[in-house]
Amino acid sequence: MSDDNGAADGAPAGDDADRPDDDPLTYDQARWTADDDRYEPLLSEKRTSEVEIGDGAPLPDDLTRDSLALPDPSEPELARHYTRLSEMNYGVENGPFPLGSCTMKYNPKFTEDVAALPSAAVHPDRHPDSAQGTLALLARLQDYLGRIGGMDAVTLQPPAGAAGEFTGILIAEAYHEANGEDRSEVIVPDSAHGTNFASAALAGFDVLELPSAEDGRVDLDALEAAVGDDTAALMLTNPNTLGLFERDIEAIADIVHDAGGLLYYDGANLNALLGRARPGDMGFDVMHYNVHKTFATPHGGGGPGAGPVGVTAELEPFLPTPHVRRDGGSGQYELAEPEQSVGKVHGFAGNWLVLVKAFAYIARLGDEGLADASAKAVLNANYLAEQIEYEIPFGPFHHEFVASAGEQDAADVAKRMLDYGVHPPTTKWPEIVSEALMTEPTEIETRRTLDQLAAAFDAVADEDDATVEAAPERTSARRIDQVAAARSPRLSWQALDDE
Ligand SMILES: *Cc1c(COP(=O)(O)O)cnc(C)c1O
């Protein structure tokens, strides 16, 4: 990362350069016409031609057609179509994206270049003897992540953070079973990410929700009362989702371990700890990492991701199979099945090209670069928090903070921020802060961009209800029916056509 704090300089250009920092920018998103209902047409609505289907199809006649109407754009039409669609969206390459907990970092292009090298195109079924370089990279990434987290062994197989949690909990279950223990409960603090509850439940555990203490941290008395012979694990995020460091982590670890349970670290977001503190040293036994939040790989939008899992030596025999390791004798890399493996949680050794990007990022930054990233992540969060009017009830915080929208509805505030060219923070969670605005600028933003962010927050804080409730005004799409989109999605243009 360069000395000027990253490549993602969102500083305004041209005429705006002399603008006083406390004036918010406004932002107009691409629209095809001024008419809100007119979106970029689908390719199939633009131009199609009937394509003949030959007789040679290896399918029965009653399952084949004679011809098919297929989109028929010219290359420039196609390029413009996708460019327009991209302009109707908002991403970290449009402007700041301070999404708390779910961390949206700029994805530096050099990692894409590395993943696009012809030599990175390796078939997953290649024999290990002819894929030693691939396996060496994976083994080194396991090693890097192990050192970053203070863990003895790492699997790269799980394809997302939530999948990592599920894998970690399966490992905990297998460990207890191997010890002849039947432990049915996983404890999760009320401020935890929703996936923690879901992962534990999916693995068949009863989930016990632990209320936070007044200061937003784990309540030690409540934890003492909650643990027992049934406790399989406590899942903890540290710093927690309020950005607060659990200062009593050693006491927490003792309480859980004394009861015979394991301590699970939700390391989705390691941005405050990188190069400074390690979950393994705090007493955690198993953890996952989100390479898309901490190590700048793209959030997949549902596409390929990676949520590696690290464990202490005690839990290593239970890792998923295959596990990449180096044979001590021959020095060859190999794919091995750990003795008491929980099995497979994804294809092959994981999502290779995502792992290449994470490897490239970590290797490029090195120890110093990673420590610098965490310093700037914490500095940026604290700098931004100082500038904004909204109240921040809990602190001192690290890489993120949770402000309260007060009398305003956090969801409305979020929509309005888009009009100022700022992606909204995470809203309405954790519930311990009313109308929560969970904000994480990350280390990538410059001071100018942080000032732009603060100006946007403050502009919205001072606006009247009618304006905020009617937002966004200047985006391509306005209020979207999110519930209908989630519950009854229409996934093809034919479904639209049928209406
Ligand atoms: C994002 C996140 C997860 C889940 O990760 P996914 O990759 O989205 O499945 C878990 N815990 C925390 C704290 C997170 O922020």
Side-chain angles (χ1 to χ4, degrees), residues 101-102 160-163 165 193 195-196 237 241 266 268 288 290 292-293:
S101 188
C102 290
E165 290 171 28
H193 196 263
T195 49
N196 289 189
T237 311
T241 57
D266 180 339
H288 78 273
N290 277 17
H292 43 295
K293 293 182 187 169

Side-chain angles (χ1 to χ4, degrees), residues 1-298:
M1 194 156 290
S2 62
D3 289 343
D4 65 354
N5 194 6
D9 189 344
D15 292 343
D16 286 331
D18 297 329
R19 167 187 73 81
D21 281 340
D22 51 358
D23 260 4
L25 290 169
T26 56
Y27 177 78
D28 287 276
Q29 207 169 45
R31 280 187 213 178
W32 185 227
T33 71
D35 175 352
D36 277 350
D37 293 332
R38 188 77 186 107
Y39 297 119
E40 170 69 8
L42 300 169
L43 281 178
S44 54
E45 290 174 314
K46 284 187 171 171
R47 195 165 73 127
T48 58
S49 38
E50 284 296 309
V51 178
E52 300 265 316
I53 295 174
D55 291 336
L59 292 171
D61 282 348
D62 57 338
L63 294 181
T64 57
R65 284 169 277 203
D66 296 332
S67 70
L68 191 58
L70 290 177
D72 185 22
S74 68
E75 183 172 326
E77 281 174 332
L78 192 66
R80 288 171 193 153
H81 173 70
Y82 285 111
T83 304
R84 281 197 200 106
L85 286 181
S86 78
E87 287 169 347
M88 292 169 71
N89 205 346
Y90 186 98
V92 73
E93 293 185 16
N94 295 81
F97 206 129
L99 202 62
S101 188
C102 290
T103 323
M104 286 286 172
K105 280 189 191 184
Y106 173 74
N107 309 138
K109 298 296 173 249
F110 77 88
T111 64
E112 302 290 333
D113 292 345
V114 174
L117 289 172
S119 53
V122 187
H123 194 283
D125 269 332
R126 277 256 293 262
H127 192 280
D129 286 351
S130 75
Q132 285 292 300
T134 306
L135 298 181
L137 186 148
L138 294 173
R140 275 171 70 180
L141 179 58
Q142 288 174 183
D143 187 43
Y144 287 169
L145 292 173
R147 275 160 51 198
I148 288 168
M151 292 285 142
D152 297 316
V154 171
T155 173
L156 305 172
Q157 198 178 71
E165 290 171 28
F166 180 63
T167 305
I169 290 298
L170 289 184
I171 290 171
E173 184 183 32
Y175 166 81
H176 290 308
E177 259 177 34
N179 289 340
E181 293 199 41
D182 180 21
R183 293 175 171 257
S184 58
E185 223 165 62
V186 171
I187 305 173
V188 184
D190 57 4
S191 66
H193 196 263
T195 49
N196 289 189
F197 303 91
S199 300
L202 198 63
F205 286 97
D206 298 327
V207 183
L208 196 70
E209 184 171 320
L210 192 69
S212 303
E214 294 258 296
D215 68 353
R217 294 183 172 83
V218 170
D219 182 332
L220 290 185
D221 294 335
L223 180 62
E224 285 273 16
V227 297
D229 292 345
D230 283 338
T231 306
L234 167 70
M235 298 180 83
L236 206 63
T237 311
N238 192 22
N240 67 20
T241 57
L242 292 167
L244 312 180
F245 191 77
E246 299 285 355
R247 295 190 208 106
D248 295 322
I249 184 59
E250 286 168 333
I252 293 169
D254 287 344
I255 293 171
V256 175
H257 289 151
D258 288 349
L262 294 172
L263 200 54
Y264 184 98
Y265 183 74
D266 180 339
N269 186 332
L270 274 176
N271 291 300
L273 296 193
L274 276 180
R276 291 167 194 282
R278 310 194 312 165
D281 299 335
M282 298 175 200
F284 287 94
D285 305 290
V286 45
M287 67 177 287
H288 78 273
Y289 314 72
N290 277 17
V291 300
H292 43 295
K293 293 182 187 169
T294 308
F295 305 111
T297 66

Side-chain angles (χ1 to χ4, degrees), residues 405-414 427-428 435 437 468-469 479:
E407 300 292 303
Q408 290 175 312
D409 185 307
D412 293 336
V413 170
T427 55
K428 307 231 177 197
E435 301 303 330
L437 298 167
V468 178
E469 282 161 20
R479 295 263 173 155

